Amino acid sequence: MNTLTILGLETSCDETAAAVVRGYPPGPGEILSNVVFSQTEAHAPYGGVVPEIASRAHLEILDGLIEKALGDAGIFWNEIDAIAATAGPGLIGGVMVGLTTAKALALASGKPLVAVNHLAGHALTARLTDGVDFPFLLLLVSGGHCQLLAAADVGKYRLYGTTMDDAVGEAFDKTAKILGLPYPGGPNVESHAARGNPRAYPLPRPLLGRAGTDFSFSGLKTAVRQLVTQNQVNIEDACASFQAAAIDILRDRTAHALTRFREEFAHAARPTLVVAGGVAANAAIGSALAKLADQHGFEIRVPPPRYCTDNAAMIAWAGLERFALGERDPLDFSPKARWPLDASGDNRHSGERQQGA
Ligand code: AMP
Ligand code: MG
């Protein structure tokens, strides 16, 4: 078995990223370089990602990031086996910048192109970092997505549940905005919550105790807004109360998914719950889910935060997994704003980047 070396590009939201990854399925792989430029500052004045600003910023810096990724990896072009780029889902202008750059590089170098689903990147990160075996249950919690998926194999995903309205990261960001905390809200809400009383304000937990594995967060966000307009609130207590509600929702829905996974993949002795996406960086959420996984006889894997938030190493790895199976894509592959991982499933918000503002 020969290891493969893949250049990956990521431009689907507000991170411009390039990385070189080496390895072979099932992983773990070697991350030779991982360059990420976050546009957070450019979007901060607007309280969310502005698509037009994002695509211009990707265009300005992507070339330089690719050079840096190759330089950091200490390799020459001839050592690259294929070029992988996010082809969706995401903000279409940004996706076009990354995918078109990858096509140009593929054309000029004669190397194959692999068009990667950004969500597959998140899904397969735990194989890159930990070599997690299929099948596993994925909880993807980010600024644009909130989904539970069974990953049976490369390209074989079953969507268990998704959000009916906001993604959980979006709920963190909007709560932060309502409370006057800076963007991106998640880390700020978490640090304030650590000093607050989670029982100070009673907030709703939409869908809690109901059957199924879908999520809903907009009622919670609205309740925070009402709380703030009607009362003089303590910010730390409000953050703690919000985060406790978000954790209860995630725990309840994930518990149902763990039970369903057990029924559908009865042969997996001690399967893994993988938590990915930017919100996986939240330590309180992580420890609640670790306890839950243990109660259900699951291992838990939470890739390090730099591989949980948007990055190109995960895109390179997802490309590597497909390339290893002999898959590659034509140079006229179309970028997709929407691209659910489970084409048969309900794709409400499952393949769509929301504008954070
Ligand atoms: P991503 O969409 O994967 O790039 O992740 C970004 C999202 O993760 C944003 O909505 C952040 O607010 C959220 N996030 C990052 N860190 C944390 C945290 N510690 N707690 C909650 N949310 C977080
Ligand atoms: Mg993402």
Side-chain angles (χ1 to χ4, degrees), residues 10 12 118-119 122 140 142-145 277-278 308-310 314 353:
E10 159 60 32
S12 69
H118 176 86
L119 301 171
H122 281 302
L140 173 57
S142 72
H145 307 285
C308 274
T309 51
D310 289 346
M314 70 177 190
R353 268 283 182 189

Side-chain angles (χ1 to χ4, degrees), residues 203-220:
L203 292 170
R205 276 101 167 123
L207 299 178
L208 200 83
R210 301 255 293 269
T213 42
D214 280 335
F215 300 88
S216 171
F217 289 98
S218 78
L220 172 58

Side-chain angles (χ1 to χ4, degrees), residues 130-223:
D130 296 271
V132 169
D133 281 328
F134 292 119
F136 58 84
L137 180 70
L138 172 74
L139 172 64
L140 173 57
V141 278
S142 72
H145 307 285
C146 188
Q147 306 186 9
L148 281 157
L149 283 161
D153 207 339
V154 178
K156 291 205 181 71
Y157 306 96
R158 201 171 301 158
L159 183 68
Y160 280 7
T162 184
T163 181
M164 300 161 79
D165 37 61
D166 294 345
V168 59
E170 203 178 346
F172 268 90
D173 293 336
K174 286 180 177 167
T175 293
K177 198 172 176 183
I178 293 165
L179 295 172
L181 298 174
Y183 174 85
N188 284 309
V189 170
E190 182 180 13
S191 60
H192 283 79
R195 297 185 296 271
N197 172 8
R199 277 178 290 276
Y201 303 112
L203 292 170
R205 276 101 167 123
L207 299 178
L208 200 83
R210 301 255 293 269
T213 42
D214 280 335
F215 300 88
S216 171
F217 289 98
S218 78
L220 172 58
K221 169 198 68 191
T222 306

Side-chain angles (χ1 to χ4, degrees), residues 68-102:
K68 180 158 168 41
L70 292 168
D72 287 359
I75 58 163
F76 296 107
W77 255 112
N78 60 7
E79 295 173 76
I80 299 279
D81 292 299
I83 300 153
T86 298
L91 299 172
I92 195 68
V95 174
M96 285 169 69
V97 171
L99 183 60
T100 307
T101 303

